[in-house]
Amino acid sequence: GNHLLRDLNKMGSDKKDFKAVNKYEIVKICAKDIELFDDLLIPISKDIIEPPVGLNENTARLLGYYLAEGCHVNENFPEKYPSITFTFCIDEKDTWVADVVAILSKEFNITAKVNKDGLNALSIQINKQVDYSKLSKFIRTYIQGGYSYDKCLVNDFMYYPKSLQLQLLIGEFRENN
């Protein structure tokens, strides 16, 4: 894939030399550019940040689905009717698609329409202005970028309770297998 991950790149020192840790640089790279023996970083802390109101296991899973298969369309062009779209395989209609529709209904009071795209794909498109604004604001609180090549979580997310981290990963990896 080409999702952004944090990577610890070596800067002129042997990775076996633990005293050389300060000679590393933290950079964001695409998953497709990860090489054997690269060190990927995920913050680990005993400090837990209380999640903001509105972030729960359902909405965390929705963020995972967005990371995997969501995008903002025409976000910077309001005159072109911006929307948020989730795209799934047609075989996932009764599982992941149903889960996204249920979360949108329960957590955001959004009635989502599922569209068939071609022979093998389904999309859920949120473009009604009031629904789009509400969902976009929520997503932008936690995720920067709007396409597969530029999406990344805000730094604090991995300090939220483990149950929320788990649901985010479930949503992302359900769709990305």
Side-chain angles (χ1 to χ4, degrees), residues 36-79:
L36 189 61
F37 303 114
D38 276 352
D39 297 309
L40 301 179
L41 300 179
I42 296 175
I44 297 173
S45 174
K46 292 182 182 181
D47 298 328
I48 304 268
I49 297 174
E50 282 301 312
V53 173
L55 183 62
N56 58 44
E57 290 186 7
N58 286 334
T59 56
R61 195 167 60 256
L62 182 71
L63 290 171
Y65 287 127
Y66 179 81
L67 284 169
E69 294 300 335
C71 70
H72 274 73
V73 178
N74 293 326
E75 181 175 26
N76 297 319
F77 305 99
E79 70 281 0

Side-chain angles (χ1 to χ4, degrees), residues 88-91 116-122:
F88 295 89
C89 176
I90 200 160
D91 297 339
K116 187 172 180 185
D117 293 340
L119 295 175
N120 297 315
L122 296 172

